[in-house]
Amino acid sequence: GESVGLHLPTLSVQEGDNSIINCAYSNSASDYFIWYKQESGKGPQFIIDIRSNMDKRQGQRVTVLLNKTVKHLSLQIAATQPGDSAVYFCAENNAGGTSYGKLTFGQGTILTVHP
Amino acid sequence: KAGVTQTPRYLIKTRGQQVTLSCSPISGHRSVSWYQQTPGQGLQFLFEYFSETQRNKGNFPGRFSGRQFSNSRSEMNVSTLELGDSALYLCASSSGQAWNSPLHFGNGTRLTVT
């Protein structure tokens, strides 16, 4: 039958604001998490990753927070710019021999930054 | 350092045909993974190759296959194309040394099956 497209969550912010994108994961065995940014016509671009032995990691203008108790991941973008407009995906993996190259992706969040 | 390169960027095929997609990983990366991206299912893992061996496989039918060459370049093949195979096919490379090596994606091949 005809497939129904995913209805992605959206986040709309003004340039200069801070953005927070959230992600819930379901596999309690997951211990590696990555955030990707995908612009129209391009592949996912690596932003930042975090391992389960950490609860926070910072990069350039981005911070990832991990709460394993409630299985929640968030990406904070400081001073959001129009160039940050894209779809953001969280992805997870768990340790083990069957995990090589195999990420489980979330549905994505559309971030729109208004000048 | 050049990124992951996928060719061709666009393909149009007819039902029943077969197609081969190509991926060149980042220099020094030995692992190549393939993903299918569709509006309905999102990003789904197809398979992963390391040192010319398939090390991991997703839940796709046998019509989807791949291989990796000694220079780490990879190809994936889809036989007997169906309309539902229309998708963006993404290749990602990593060092592959550890299960949690970050994946770096190419810009994909857009396949349309008519």
Side-chain angles (χ1 to χ4, degrees), chain A residues 3-8 30-32 34 36 38 41-46 49 51 89 93-107, chain B residues 9 31 33 35 37-45 47-48 55-59 88 90 96-108:
Chain A
S3 63
V4 177
L6 293 170
H7 294 286
L8 303 185
S30 292
D31 33 18
Y32 177 58
I34 307 180
Y36 285 95
Q38 187 173 25
K42 295 186 177 182
Q45 177 188 350
F46 174 89
D49 61 1
R51 287 162 173 77
F89 293 95
N93 199 351
N94 57 284
T98 60
S99 301
Y100 289 100
K102 183 179 181 181
L103 295 174
T104 300
F105 281 82
Q107 63 180 0
Chain B
R9 284 300 310 273
S31 168
S33 301
Y35 284 78
Q37 185 175 27
T38 60
Q41 300 298 320
L43 280 143
Q44 292 188 291
F45 172 75
F47 29 65
E48 187 257 3
R55 195 165 54 173
N56 206 355
K57 188 177 187 303
N59 297 320
L88 180 66
L90 292 159
Q97 298 299 325
W99 63 270
N100 52 5
S101 302
L103 301 189
H104 298 274
F105 285 84
N107 287 328

Short mmCIF file of all heavy atoms in Angstrom, two decimals, chain A residues 3-8 30-32 34 36 38 41-46 49 51 89 93-107, chain B residues 9 31 33 35 37-45 47-48 55-59 88 90 96-108:
data_model
loop_
_atom_site.label_atom_id
_atom_site.label_comp_id
_atom_site.label_asym_id
_atom_site.label_seq_id
_atom_site.Cartn_x
_atom_site.Cartn_y
_atom_site.Cartn_z
N SER A 3 2.79 4.34 1.30
CA SER A 3 3.39 4.67 2.59
C SER A 3 3.02 6.10 2.96
O SER A 3 2.84 6.95 2.12
CB SER A 3 4.90 4.50 2.53
OG SER A 3 5.46 5.39 1.60
N VAL A 4 2.90 6.31 4.24
CA VAL A 4 2.60 7.65 4.75
C VAL A 4 3.89 8.27 5.22
O VAL A 4 4.67 7.65 5.92
CB VAL A 4 1.59 7.55 5.93
CG1 VAL A 4 1.34 8.93 6.50
CG2 VAL A 4 0.31 6.91 5.46
N GLY A 5 4.12 9.52 4.83
CA GLY A 5 5.36 10.18 5.23
C GLY A 5 5.36 10.46 6.71
O GLY A 5 4.33 10.67 7.34
N LEU A 6 6.56 10.46 7.27
CA LEU A 6 6.71 10.81 8.66
C LEU A 6 6.34 12.28 8.85
O LEU A 6 6.70 13.12 8.04
CB LEU A 6 8.14 10.59 9.11
CG LEU A 6 8.65 9.15 9.15
CD1 LEU A 6 10.14 9.15 9.38
CD2 LEU A 6 7.95 8.38 10.23
N HIS A 7 5.61 12.59 9.91
CA HIS A 7 5.34 13.98 10.24
C HIS A 7 6.38 14.40 11.26
O HIS A 7 6.28 14.07 12.44
CB HIS A 7 3.92 14.11 10.80
CG HIS A 7 2.87 13.78 9.78
ND1 HIS A 7 2.55 14.64 8.75
CD2 HIS A 7 2.08 12.70 9.62
CE1 HIS A 7 1.61 14.08 8.01
NE2 HIS A 7 1.31 12.92 8.50
N LEU A 8 7.37 15.13 10.78
CA LEU A 8 8.47 15.47 11.64
C LEU A 8 8.12 16.60 12.57
O LEU A 8 7.47 17.58 12.17
CB LEU A 8 9.69 15.86 10.79
CG LEU A 8 10.19 14.83 9.78
CD1 LEU A 8 11.47 15.32 9.12
CD2 LEU A 8 10.41 13.49 10.44
N SER A 30 21.43 0.92 24.55
CA SER A 30 22.20 1.83 23.70
C SER A 30 23.25 2.54 24.54
O SER A 30 22.95 3.03 25.64
CB SER A 30 21.28 2.86 23.04
OG SER A 30 20.45 2.21 22.09
N ASP A 31 24.46 2.61 24.02
CA ASP A 31 25.49 3.32 24.78
C ASP A 31 26.37 4.23 23.93
O ASP A 31 27.43 4.66 24.37
CB ASP A 31 26.37 2.39 25.64
CG ASP A 31 26.59 1.03 25.04
OD1 ASP A 31 26.38 0.85 23.83
OD2 ASP A 31 26.94 0.13 25.80
N TYR A 32 25.89 4.53 22.75
CA TYR A 32 26.61 5.50 21.93
C TYR A 32 25.57 6.28 21.15
O TYR A 32 24.68 5.68 20.54
CB TYR A 32 27.58 4.79 21.00
CG TYR A 32 28.33 5.68 20.05
CD1 TYR A 32 29.13 6.71 20.52
CD2 TYR A 32 28.25 5.48 18.68
CE1 TYR A 32 29.82 7.53 19.64
CE2 TYR A 32 28.94 6.29 17.80
CZ TYR A 32 29.72 7.31 18.28
OH TYR A 32 30.41 8.11 17.42
N ILE A 34 24.70 9.82 18.58
CA ILE A 34 25.26 10.82 17.66
C ILE A 34 24.13 11.75 17.22
O ILE A 34 22.99 11.31 17.03
CB ILE A 34 25.86 10.17 16.39
CG1 ILE A 34 26.86 9.08 16.72
CG2 ILE A 34 26.54 11.23 15.51
CD1 ILE A 34 27.47 8.42 15.47
N TYR A 36 23.14 14.25 14.04
CA TYR A 36 23.45 14.59 12.65
C TYR A 36 22.56 15.75 12.20
O TYR A 36 21.42 15.89 12.66
CB TYR A 36 23.20 13.41 11.72
CG TYR A 36 24.23 12.31 11.78
CD1 TYR A 36 24.04 11.21 12.60
CD2 TYR A 36 25.39 12.38 11.02
CE1 TYR A 36 24.99 10.20 12.66
CE2 TYR A 36 26.34 11.37 11.07
CZ TYR A 36 26.12 10.29 11.89
OH TYR A 36 27.07 9.29 11.94
N GLN A 38 21.03 17.34 8.58
CA GLN A 38 20.87 17.07 7.16
C GLN A 38 20.19 18.24 6.47
O GLN A 38 19.05 18.58 6.76
CB GLN A 38 20.05 15.79 6.93
CG GLN A 38 20.00 15.37 5.47
CD GLN A 38 19.34 14.02 5.25
OE1 GLN A 38 18.53 13.58 6.05
NE2 GLN A 38 19.70 13.34 4.16
N GLY A 41 19.08 18.09 0.03
CA GLY A 41 19.94 17.64 -1.05
C GLY A 41 21.29 17.10 -0.62
O GLY A 41 22.13 16.79 -1.46
N LYS A 42 21.47 16.99 0.69
CA LYS A 42 22.76 16.50 1.19
C LYS A 42 22.56 15.31 2.12
O LYS A 42 21.47 15.03 2.57
CB LYS A 42 23.49 17.61 1.93
CG LYS A 42 23.90 18.79 1.05
CD LYS A 42 24.74 19.78 1.83
CE LYS A 42 25.22 20.91 0.94
NZ LYS A 42 26.07 21.87 1.69
N GLY A 43 23.68 14.63 2.40
CA GLY A 43 23.62 13.55 3.36
C GLY A 43 23.74 14.07 4.78
O GLY A 43 24.06 15.25 5.00
N PRO A 44 23.46 13.23 5.77
CA PRO A 44 23.60 13.65 7.17
C PRO A 44 25.05 14.04 7.48
O PRO A 44 25.98 13.34 7.08
CB PRO A 44 23.19 12.40 7.96
CG PRO A 44 22.33 11.62 7.02
CD PRO A 44 22.92 11.87 5.66
N GLN A 45 25.19 15.15 8.20
CA GLN A 45 26.51 15.66 8.57
C GLN A 45 26.72 15.46 10.06
O GLN A 45 25.88 15.89 10.87
CB GLN A 45 26.61 17.14 8.20
CG GLN A 45 27.90 17.82 8.61
CD GLN A 45 27.84 19.32 8.39
OE1 GLN A 45 26.90 19.83 7.78
NE2 GLN A 45 28.82 20.04 8.88
N PHE A 46 27.81 14.81 10.44
CA PHE A 46 28.13 14.56 11.85
C PHE A 46 28.27 15.89 12.60
O PHE A 46 28.96 16.81 12.15
CB PHE A 46 29.43 13.77 11.93
CG PHE A 46 29.96 13.55 13.32
CD1 PHE A 46 29.56 12.46 14.05
CD2 PHE A 46 30.85 14.45 13.89
CE1 PHE A 46 30.04 12.24 15.33
CE2 PHE A 46 31.34 14.25 15.18
CZ PHE A 46 30.94 13.14 15.89
N ASP A 49 29.03 13.57 19.12
CA ASP A 49 28.63 12.27 19.67
C ASP A 49 28.88 12.25 21.18
O ASP A 49 29.56 13.12 21.74
CB ASP A 49 29.35 11.12 18.98
CG ASP A 49 30.88 11.16 19.10
OD1 ASP A 49 31.41 12.09 19.76
OD2 ASP A 49 31.55 10.28 18.52
N ARG A 51 29.18 9.20 24.55
CA ARG A 51 29.12 7.83 25.01
C ARG A 51 28.36 7.77 26.32
O ARG A 51 28.24 8.76 27.03
CB ARG A 51 30.54 7.27 25.12
CG ARG A 51 31.12 7.00 23.74
CD ARG A 51 32.62 6.85 23.71
NE ARG A 51 33.09 6.44 22.40
CZ ARG A 51 33.22 7.25 21.34
NH1 ARG A 51 32.90 8.52 21.44
NH2 ARG A 51 33.66 6.79 20.19
N PHE A 89 18.86 14.82 13.26
CA PHE A 89 18.58 13.44 13.65
C PHE A 89 19.45 13.04 14.84
O PHE A 89 20.65 13.34 14.86
CB PHE A 89 18.91 12.47 12.52
CG PHE A 89 18.03 12.59 11.30
CD1 PHE A 89 18.42 13.37 10.22
CD2 PHE A 89 16.83 11.90 11.24
CE1 PHE A 89 17.62 13.47 9.09
CE2 PHE A 89 16.02 12.00 10.11
CZ PHE A 89 16.41 12.79 9.05
N ASN A 93 23.47 3.58 19.03
CA ASN A 93 24.07 2.28 18.77
C ASN A 93 24.34 1.62 20.12
O ASN A 93 24.39 2.30 21.16
CB ASN A 93 25.38 2.44 17.98
CG ASN A 93 25.81 1.16 17.30
OD1 ASN A 93 25.24 0.10 17.53
ND2 ASN A 93 26.80 1.25 16.45
N ASN A 94 24.48 0.33 20.11
CA ASN A 94 24.79 -0.37 21.34
C ASN A 94 25.98 -1.30 21.10
O ASN A 94 26.22 -1.74 19.98
CB ASN A 94 23.60 -1.15 21.87
CG ASN A 94 23.07 -2.15 20.88
OD1 ASN A 94 22.41 -1.77 19.92
ND2 ASN A 94 23.38 -3.41 21.07
N ALA A 95 26.71 -1.54 22.15
CA ALA A 95 27.93 -2.32 22.05
C ALA A 95 27.63 -3.74 21.61
O ALA A 95 26.58 -4.30 21.88
CB ALA A 95 28.64 -2.35 23.41
N GLY A 96 28.59 -4.29 20.88
CA GLY A 96 28.42 -5.67 20.49
C GLY A 96 28.84 -5.91 19.06
O GLY A 96 28.93 -4.98 18.27
N GLY A 97 29.08 -7.14 18.74
CA GLY A 97 29.57 -7.47 17.42
C GLY A 97 28.60 -7.21 16.30
O GLY A 97 28.99 -7.11 15.15
N THR A 98 27.32 -7.07 16.63
CA THR A 98 26.34 -6.82 15.57
C THR A 98 26.08 -5.34 15.39
O THR A 98 25.14 -4.94 14.73
CB THR A 98 25.00 -7.51 15.89
OG1 THR A 98 24.51 -7.00 17.13
CG2 THR A 98 25.17 -9.00 15.98
N SER A 99 26.93 -4.52 15.97
CA SER A 99 26.65 -3.09 15.97
C SER A 99 27.47 -2.30 14.96
O SER A 99 27.21 -1.12 14.77
CB SER A 99 26.92 -2.51 17.37
OG SER A 99 26.12 -3.16 18.32
N TYR A 100 28.44 -2.92 14.34
CA TYR A 100 29.30 -2.19 13.44
C TYR A 100 28.50 -1.53 12.33
O TYR A 100 27.76 -2.19 11.61
CB TYR A 100 30.37 -3.10 12.84
CG TYR A 100 31.42 -3.53 13.83
CD1 TYR A 100 31.37 -4.77 14.44
CD2 TYR A 100 32.45 -2.66 14.16
CE1 TYR A 100 32.34 -5.14 15.36
CE2 TYR A 100 33.42 -3.03 15.07
CZ TYR A 100 33.37 -4.27 15.67
OH TYR A 100 34.32 -4.64 16.57
N GLY A 101 28.67 -0.20 12.22
CA GLY A 101 28.03 0.55 11.15
C GLY A 101 26.54 0.69 11.27
O GLY A 101 25.91 1.33 10.43
N LYS A 102 25.95 0.12 12.30
CA LYS A 102 24.49 0.08 12.38
C LYS A 102 23.99 1.08 13.41
O LYS A 102 24.01 0.81 14.60
CB LYS A 102 24.02 -1.33 12.75
CG LYS A 102 22.50 -1.47 12.79
CD LYS A 102 22.10 -2.89 13.14
CE LYS A 102 20.59 -3.05 13.15
NZ LYS A 102 20.20 -4.43 13.51
N LEU A 103 23.53 2.20 12.93
CA LEU A 103 22.90 3.19 13.78
C LEU A 103 21.39 3.11 13.62
O LEU A 103 20.90 2.87 12.52
CB LEU A 103 23.36 4.60 13.39
CG LEU A 103 24.83 4.94 13.59
CD1 LEU A 103 25.14 6.32 13.03
CD2 LEU A 103 25.19 4.88 15.07
N THR A 104 20.69 3.31 14.72
CA THR A 104 19.23 3.43 14.68
C THR A 104 18.91 4.92 14.78
O THR A 104 19.27 5.56 15.77
CB THR A 104 18.58 2.65 15.83
OG1 THR A 104 18.94 1.28 15.72
CG2 THR A 104 17.07 2.80 15.78
N PHE A 105 18.26 5.43 13.76
CA PHE A 105 17.98 6.87 13.68
C PHE A 105 16.60 7.20 14.21
O PHE A 105 15.64 6.42 14.04
CB PHE A 105 18.07 7.34 12.23
CG PHE A 105 19.47 7.54 11.74
CD1 PHE A 105 20.23 6.48 11.30
CD2 PHE A 105 20.03 8.81 11.73
CE1 PHE A 105 21.53 6.67 10.86
CE2 PHE A 105 21.33 9.01 11.29
CZ PHE A 105 22.08 7.94 10.85
N GLY A 106 16.49 8.38 14.84
CA GLY A 106 15.20 8.93 15.16
C GLY A 106 14.54 9.50 13.92
O GLY A 106 15.13 9.51 12.84
N GLN A 107 13.32 9.98 14.08
CA GLN A 107 12.56 10.46 12.93
C GLN A 107 13.04 11.81 12.42
O GLN A 107 12.79 12.16 11.26
CB GLN A 107 11.08 10.54 13.28
CG GLN A 107 10.75 11.54 14.37
CD GLN A 107 9.25 11.58 14.67
OE1 GLN A 107 8.47 10.86 14.07
NE2 GLN A 107 8.86 12.43 15.60
N ARG B 9 24.64 10.66 -8.71
CA ARG B 9 23.78 11.40 -7.79
C ARG B 9 22.31 11.09 -8.01
O ARG B 9 21.54 11.06 -7.05
CB ARG B 9 23.99 12.92 -7.95
CG ARG B 9 25.25 13.47 -7.33
CD ARG B 9 25.35 13.23 -5.82
NE ARG B 9 24.17 13.63 -5.08
CZ ARG B 9 23.92 14.85 -4.60
NH1 ARG B 9 24.77 15.81 -4.84
NH2 ARG B 9 22.83 15.09 -3.90
N SER B 31 35.72 0.94 6.80
CA SER B 31 34.35 0.47 6.95
C SER B 31 33.41 1.32 6.10
O SER B 31 33.51 2.55 6.10
CB SER B 31 33.93 0.57 8.42
OG SER B 31 32.54 0.38 8.55
N SER B 33 29.21 1.64 5.30
CA SER B 33 27.83 1.24 5.61
C SER B 33 26.90 1.86 4.60
O SER B 33 27.16 2.95 4.09
CB SER B 33 27.44 1.73 7.01
OG SER B 33 28.30 1.21 8.00
N TYR B 35 22.76 2.92 3.83
CA TYR B 35 21.45 3.21 4.42
C TYR B 35 20.47 3.60 3.31
O TYR B 35 20.85 4.17 2.29
CB TYR B 35 21.55 4.38 5.41
CG TYR B 35 22.19 4.01 6.73
CD1 TYR B 35 23.56 3.86 6.85
CD2 TYR B 35 21.40 3.79 7.86
CE1 TYR B 35 24.14 3.51 8.06
CE2 TYR B 35 21.97 3.44 9.07
CZ TYR B 35 23.33 3.30 9.16
OH TYR B 35 23.91 2.94 10.36
N GLN B 37 17.04 5.91 2.80
CA GLN B 37 16.24 6.97 3.41
C GLN B 37 15.00 7.23 2.58
O GLN B 37 15.08 7.56 1.39
CB GLN B 37 17.05 8.26 3.57
CG GLN B 37 16.29 9.34 4.32
CD GLN B 37 17.13 10.59 4.60
OE1 GLN B 37 18.06 10.90 3.86
NE2 GLN B 37 16.82 11.29 5.67
N THR B 38 13.83 7.08 3.20
CA THR B 38 12.55 7.36 2.55
C THR B 38 11.70 8.22 3.48
O THR B 38 11.89 8.20 4.69
CB THR B 38 11.77 6.06 2.26
OG1 THR B 38 11.53 5.38 3.51
CG2 THR B 38 12.54 5.15 1.32
N PRO B 39 10.74 8.97 2.92
CA PRO B 39 9.87 9.79 3.77
C PRO B 39 9.06 8.94 4.74
O PRO B 39 8.77 9.36 5.86
CB PRO B 39 8.95 10.50 2.76
CG PRO B 39 9.72 10.49 1.49
CD PRO B 39 10.49 9.21 1.50
N GLY B 40 8.72 7.73 4.35
CA GLY B 40 7.86 6.91 5.19
C GLY B 40 8.60 6.17 6.29
O GLY B 40 8.08 6.02 7.40
N GLN B 41 9.79 5.72 6.03
CA GLN B 41 10.52 4.88 6.97
C GLN B 41 11.75 5.56 7.57
O GLN B 41 12.39 5.00 8.47
CB GLN B 41 10.96 3.58 6.29
CG GLN B 41 9.82 2.73 5.76
CD GLN B 41 8.90 2.27 6.87
OE1 GLN B 41 9.35 1.90 7.96
NE2 GLN B 41 7.61 2.30 6.61
N GLY B 42 12.10 6.73 7.09
CA GLY B 42 13.29 7.40 7.60
C GLY B 42 14.56 6.71 7.13
O GLY B 42 14.61 6.15 6.05
N LEU B 43 15.58 6.76 7.97
CA LEU B 43 16.89 6.17 7.65
C LEU B 43 16.96 4.75 8.18
O LEU B 43 16.79 4.51 9.38
CB LEU B 43 18.00 7.00 8.29
CG LEU B 43 18.39 8.27 7.56
CD1 LEU B 43 18.71 9.38 8.53
CD2 LEU B 43 19.59 7.98 6.67
N GLN B 44 17.22 3.81 7.29
CA GLN B 44 17.27 2.41 7.70
C GLN B 44 18.58 1.79 7.22
O GLN B 44 18.98 1.98 6.07
CB GLN B 44 16.10 1.64 7.12
CG GLN B 44 14.76 2.06 7.71
CD GLN B 44 13.65 1.14 7.25
OE1 GLN B 44 13.27 1.13 6.09
NE2 GLN B 44 13.15 0.33 8.16
N PHE B 45 19.19 1.02 8.10
CA PHE B 45 20.47 0.37 7.85
C PHE B 45 20.32 -0.81 6.89
O PHE B 45 19.44 -1.66 7.09
CB PHE B 45 21.04 -0.09 9.19
CG PHE B 45 22.28 -0.95 9.10
CD1 PHE B 45 23.50 -0.39 8.79
CD2 PHE B 45 22.21 -2.31 9.34
CE1 PHE B 45 24.65 -1.16 8.72
CE2 PHE B 45 23.34 -3.10 9.29
CZ PHE B 45 24.56 -2.53 8.98
N PHE B 47 23.51 -2.56 5.24
CA PHE B 47 24.61 -3.45 5.59
C PHE B 47 25.90 -2.66 5.77
O PHE B 47 25.97 -1.49 5.43
CB PHE B 47 24.84 -4.57 4.54
CG PHE B 47 24.46 -4.22 3.13
CD1 PHE B 47 25.11 -3.22 2.42
CD2 PHE B 47 23.42 -4.90 2.51
CE1 PHE B 47 24.75 -2.91 1.12
CE2 PHE B 47 23.05 -4.60 1.21
CZ PHE B 47 23.71 -3.60 0.52
N GLU B 48 26.89 -3.35 6.34
CA GLU B 48 28.19 -2.76 6.61
C GLU B 48 29.29 -3.70 6.15
O GLU B 48 29.19 -4.92 6.34
CB GLU B 48 28.36 -2.45 8.10
CG GLU B 48 29.62 -1.67 8.46
CD GLU B 48 30.74 -2.52 9.07
OE1 GLU B 48 30.57 -3.76 9.18
OE2 GLU B 48 31.78 -1.94 9.44
N ARG B 55 30.05 -7.41 7.56
CA ARG B 55 30.17 -7.64 8.99
C ARG B 55 28.82 -7.50 9.69
O ARG B 55 28.64 -8.00 10.79
CB ARG B 55 31.18 -6.65 9.56
CG ARG B 55 31.68 -6.95 10.94
CD ARG B 55 32.93 -6.15 11.29
NE ARG B 55 32.82 -4.72 11.13
CZ ARG B 55 33.76 -3.86 11.50
NH1 ARG B 55 34.87 -4.29 12.07
NH2 ARG B 55 33.61 -2.57 11.30
N ASN B 56 27.87 -6.81 9.05
CA ASN B 56 26.59 -6.56 9.68
C ASN B 56 25.55 -6.36 8.59
O ASN B 56 25.85 -5.85 7.50
CB ASN B 56 26.69 -5.32 10.57
CG ASN B 56 25.69 -5.32 11.69
OD1 ASN B 56 24.84 -6.19 11.78
ND2 ASN B 56 25.79 -4.33 12.56
N LYS B 57 24.33 -6.72 8.89
CA LYS B 57 23.29 -6.66 7.88
C LYS B 57 21.97 -6.25 8.51
O LYS B 57 21.64 -6.69 9.62
CB LYS B 57 23.14 -8.04 7.22
CG LYS B 57 22.22 -8.08 6.02
CD LYS B 57 22.22 -9.49 5.41
CE LYS B 57 21.45 -9.53 4.09
NZ LYS B 57 20.07 -9.07 4.22
N GLY B 58 21.20 -5.44 7.81
CA GLY B 58 19.89 -5.03 8.27
C GLY B 58 18.82 -5.96 7.74
O GLY B 58 19.10 -7.01 7.17
N ASN B 59 17.57 -5.53 7.93
CA ASN B 59 16.43 -6.38 7.56
C ASN B 59 15.87 -6.01 6.20
O ASN B 59 14.75 -5.53 6.08
CB ASN B 59 15.34 -6.26 8.62
CG ASN B 59 15.80 -6.76 9.98
OD1 ASN B 59 16.50 -7.76 10.07
ND2 ASN B 59 15.43 -6.03 11.02
N LEU B 88 16.49 7.65 -1.27
CA LEU B 88 17.85 8.18 -1.26
C LEU B 88 18.72 7.12 -0.60
O LEU B 88 18.45 6.70 0.54
CB LEU B 88 17.91 9.48 -0.46
CG LEU B 88 19.28 10.16 -0.35
CD1 LEU B 88 19.74 10.65 -1.72
CD2 LEU B 88 19.23 11.31 0.65
N LEU B 90 22.22 6.17 0.95
CA LEU B 90 23.35 6.86 1.57
C LEU B 90 24.44 5.88 1.95
O LEU B 90 24.17 4.80 2.46
CB LEU B 90 22.88 7.59 2.83
CG LEU B 90 21.94 8.77 2.60
CD1 LEU B 90 21.15 9.09 3.86
CD2 LEU B 90 22.72 10.00 2.14
N GLY B 96 36.10 2.06 11.40
CA GLY B 96 35.68 0.68 11.59
C GLY B 96 36.44 -0.08 12.65
O GLY B 96 36.19 -1.26 12.88
N GLN B 97 37.36 0.60 13.31
CA GLN B 97 38.18 -0.10 14.31
C GLN B 97 37.37 -0.45 15.55
O GLN B 97 37.65 -1.43 16.23
CB GLN B 97 39.38 0.77 14.69
CG GLN B 97 40.32 1.08 13.54
CD GLN B 97 40.93 -0.16 12.95
OE1 GLN B 97 41.22 -1.12 13.66
NE2 GLN B 97 41.11 -0.17 11.65
N ALA B 98 36.40 0.37 15.87
CA ALA B 98 35.56 0.13 17.05
C ALA B 98 34.10 0.22 16.63
O ALA B 98 33.76 0.90 15.66
CB ALA B 98 35.85 1.17 18.13
N TRP B 99 33.24 -0.45 17.38
CA TRP B 99 31.83 -0.46 17.03
C TRP B 99 31.23 0.93 17.11
O TRP B 99 30.22 1.22 16.47
CB TRP B 99 31.06 -1.43 17.95
CG TRP B 99 31.10 -1.02 19.40
CD1 TRP B 99 32.02 -1.38 20.33
CD2 TRP B 99 30.19 -0.15 20.06
NE1 TRP B 99 31.74 -0.80 21.53
CE2 TRP B 99 30.63 -0.04 21.41
CE3 TRP B 99 29.06 0.54 19.66
CZ2 TRP B 99 29.96 0.74 22.34
CZ3 TRP B 99 28.38 1.33 20.60
CH2 TRP B 99 28.84 1.41 21.92
N ASN B 100 31.84 1.82 17.89
CA ASN B 100 31.30 3.16 18.03
C ASN B 100 32.14 4.21 17.30
O ASN B 100 32.24 5.35 17.73
CB ASN B 100 31.13 3.53 19.51
CG ASN B 100 32.41 3.31 20.30
OD1 ASN B 100 33.44 2.97 19.73
ND2 ASN B 100 32.34 3.51 21.59
N SER B 101 32.74 3.82 16.20
CA SER B 101 33.41 4.81 15.35
C SER B 101 32.37 5.66 14.65
O SER B 101 31.42 5.12 14.08
CB SER B 101 34.27 4.10 14.30
OG SER B 101 35.22 3.24 14.88
N PRO B 102 32.52 6.99 14.67
CA PRO B 102 31.51 7.85 14.03
C PRO B 102 31.40 7.57 12.54
O PRO B 102 32.40 7.35 11.87
CB PRO B 102 32.04 9.26 14.27
CG PRO B 102 33.03 9.14 15.37
CD PRO B 102 33.59 7.76 15.30
N LEU B 103 30.17 7.59 12.04
CA LEU B 103 29.92 7.43 10.62
C LEU B 103 29.88 8.81 9.95
O LEU B 103 29.26 9.74 10.47
CB LEU B 103 28.59 6.73 10.37
CG LEU B 103 28.39 5.34 10.97
CD1 LEU B 103 27.10 4.74 10.43
CD2 LEU B 103 29.57 4.44 10.68
N HIS B 104 30.49 8.88 8.78
CA HIS B 104 30.49 10.11 7.98
C HIS B 104 29.84 9.78 6.65
O HIS B 104 30.29 8.90 5.93
CB HIS B 104 31.91 10.64 7.80
CG HIS B 104 32.57 10.99 9.10
ND1 HIS B 104 32.41 12.22 9.69
CD2 HIS B 104 33.33 10.26 9.94
CE1 HIS B 104 33.08 12.24 10.85
NE2 HIS B 104 33.64 11.06 11.01
N PHE B 105 28.77 10.51 6.35
CA PHE B 105 27.93 10.19 5.19
C PHE B 105 28.31 10.98 3.94
O PHE B 105 28.76 12.13 4.01
CB PHE B 105 26.46 10.49 5.52
CG PHE B 105 25.81 9.50 6.42
CD1 PHE B 105 25.96 9.61 7.80
CD2 PHE B 105 25.06 8.45 5.91
CE1 PHE B 105 25.36 8.69 8.65
CE2 PHE B 105 24.46 7.53 6.75
CZ PHE B 105 24.61 7.64 8.12
N GLY B 106 28.03 10.34 2.80
CA GLY B 106 28.06 11.04 1.53
C GLY B 106 26.73 11.72 1.27
O GLY B 106 25.84 11.68 2.13
N ASN B 107 26.58 12.34 0.10
CA ASN B 107 25.36 13.06 -0.22
C ASN B 107 24.30 12.18 -0.88
O ASN B 107 23.22 12.66 -1.21
CB ASN B 107 25.66 14.26 -1.09
CG ASN B 107 26.33 15.37 -0.30
OD1 ASN B 107 26.07 15.54 0.89
ND2 ASN B 107 27.20 16.11 -0.96
N GLY B 108 24.61 10.92 -1.08
CA GLY B 108 23.60 9.97 -1.51
C GLY B 108 23.40 9.86 -3.01
O GLY B 108 23.82 10.71 -3.79
#
